[in-house]
């Protein structure tokens, strides 16, 4: 069995070497043409611009990242509730939210200093 696998790997390696135009296989360095240098510089500039933009917007992007994570984690629960009747799924989705949020939204204790 190992001989068959080795033969397939060897055949695949030979095919990829033969199908590679201009002989630019692994280990053969390609020349730095003007076009290639410009592509590399634009790629580096785009990467640096993306890092800079994320650094500038990190305080704004954090709530979106947290919301995406919560939505991703709740997706199976929502898919399960799609099969249930509307009243049951409404109860399943709102009661845990109210417990986490602290009740009905306005009935909390408020300390008033006079």
């Amino acid at each position: 069995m190992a001989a068959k696998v080795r033969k397939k790997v060897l055949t695949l390696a030979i095919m990829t070497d033969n199908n590679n135009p201009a002989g630019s296989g692994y280990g053969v360095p390609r020349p730095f043409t003007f076009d290639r240098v410009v592509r590399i510089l634009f790629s580096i500039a785009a990467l640096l611009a993306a890092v800079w933009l994320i650094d500038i917007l990190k305080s704004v992007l954090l709530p979106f990242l947290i919301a995406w994570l919560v939505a991703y984690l709740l997706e199976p629960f929502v898919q399960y509730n799609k099969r249930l009747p509307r009243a049951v799924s409404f109860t399943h989705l709102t009661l845990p939210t109210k417990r986490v949020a602290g009740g009905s939204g306005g009935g909390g204790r408020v300390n008033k200093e006079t």
Side-chain angles (χ1 to χ4, degrees):
M1 172 111 180
K4 288 183 180 180
V5 172
R6 210 175 301 138
K7 184 178 179 182
K8 287 182 182 179
V9 171
L10 181 61
T11 305
L12 181 64
I14 291 171
M15 285 176 49
T16 54
D17 285 339
N18 288 339
N19 292 335
N20 198 354
S24 59
Y26 297 108
V28 178
R30 294 186 303 174
F32 283 103
T33 61
F34 178 74
D35 191 37
R36 184 174 178 210
V37 171
V38 169
R39 282 188 193 145
I40 290 171
L41 290 177
F42 274 128
S43 299
I44 292 171
L47 182 66
L48 290 175
V51 169
W52 175 75
L53 190 62
I54 289 173
D55 186 47
I56 295 294
L57 297 175
K58 65 183 167 188
S59 62
V60 176
L61 293 177
L62 183 63
F64 287 103
L65 180 66
I66 292 171
W68 172 79
L69 182 64
V70 169
Y72 180 75
L73 291 175
L74 290 179
E75 175 67 20
F77 189 66
V78 171
Q79 291 299 324
Y80 171 73
N81 281 327
K82 280 185 177 180
R83 296 180 296 190
L84 300 175
R86 187 177 291 262
V88 176
S89 65
F90 177 75
T91 307
H92 277 178
L93 291 174
T94 55
L95 284 181
T97 306
K98 286 186 176 183
R99 287 185 185 205
V100 169
S104 62
R109 184 175 175 185
V110 177
N111 292 330
K112 292 184 179 179
E113 295 183 20
T114 55

